[in-house]
Amino acid sequence: SATNQIAELLKIKTSEVIYTSGSSESNNLAIKGIALKYQNRGKKIITTELEHSSIYGPLGYLQKSGFEILFAPLDEFGRVDLEKLDDLIDDEVILVSISAVNSELGLWQPIAEIGKILKKYPKCFFHTDMTQCIGKMPLVKCNLENVDLAKS
């Protein structure tokens, strides 16, 4: 019943709901899982300088394993600069990991718009940490239509 409610709320299939013990495990599973499975496609990952430590932990591990971590430029409001993000992506980028809402500053990122940009790059997956989004802001701002992995 709970799985059905979650799937309905997020407008996803029940088979896409995966339970973990918490946020760190979820982010580790998503980030390391995609990076290690698809490293034959490229070894670049894009994130921001506003992420939670549960994002930086797996990224640090991957960096020590030969992955290159790039930081998306932010605009004057602390949001991802969409044009510069698009310019940063090349054929070696396999993952973009950007939190929907920053846990300390409350800044929300344009997840739907980022997802639309990333659809132009079929080798690139999009991961977003939505912990600070669910139940606190309208889900339209956290649209998952073009998101491959979401942690909430």
Side-chain angles (χ1 to χ4, degrees):
S1 172
T3 303
N4 288 333
Q5 288 179 327
I6 292 167
E8 187 176 318
L9 174 70
L10 298 176
K11 296 177 179 44
I12 61 174
K13 299 173 190 168
T14 55
S15 62
E16 295 175 307
V17 177
I18 298 171
Y19 293 97
T20 64
S21 66
S23 297
S24 295
E25 182 182 354
S26 295
N27 284 328
N28 265 281
L29 177 66
I31 293 169
K32 289 180 187 174
I34 288 294
L36 296 174
K37 179 169 177 73
Y38 295 102
Q39 63 185 316
N40 61 323
R41 295 182 182 180
K43 287 194 144 192
K44 290 183 182 178
I45 299 170
I46 297 174
T47 192
T48 73
E49 293 184 5
L50 295 175
E51 302 305 312
H52 188 268
S53 61
S54 66
I55 301 294
Y56 293 137
L59 291 179
Y61 169 84
L62 292 168
Q63 191 171 32
K64 290 177 186 173
S65 300
F67 286 82
E68 182 179 357
I69 309 303
L70 307 170
F71 292 92
L74 305 174
D75 66 16
E76 65 272 17
F77 303 107
R79 294 194 178 96
V80 172
D81 184 313
L82 298 174
E83 273 186 41
K84 291 180 181 174
L85 172 64
D86 199 5
D87 292 341
L88 191 59
I89 301 171
D90 63 26
D91 205 38
E92 294 292 311
V93 175
I94 59 166
L95 177 65
V96 173
S97 180
I98 297 173
S99 293
V101 179
N102 177 274
S103 63
E104 294 177 9
L105 302 173
L107 293 170
W108 64 272
Q109 297 297 337
I111 297 303
E113 291 83 358
I114 293 169
K116 286 177 189 173
I117 290 170
L118 295 179
K119 278 300 170 193
K120 298 185 302 188
Y121 304 95
K123 288 177 22 177
C124 185
F125 290 89
F126 184 24
H127 166 257
T128 186
D129 181 336
M130 297 179 57
T131 301
Q132 300 302 320
C133 179
I134 301 297
K136 299 174 185 144
M137 60 191 304
L139 282 181
V140 69
K141 288 188 176 181
C142 296
N143 183 312
L144 297 178
E145 184 178 341
N146 294 312
V147 174
D148 299 298
L149 306 132
K151 194 235 19 129
S152 57

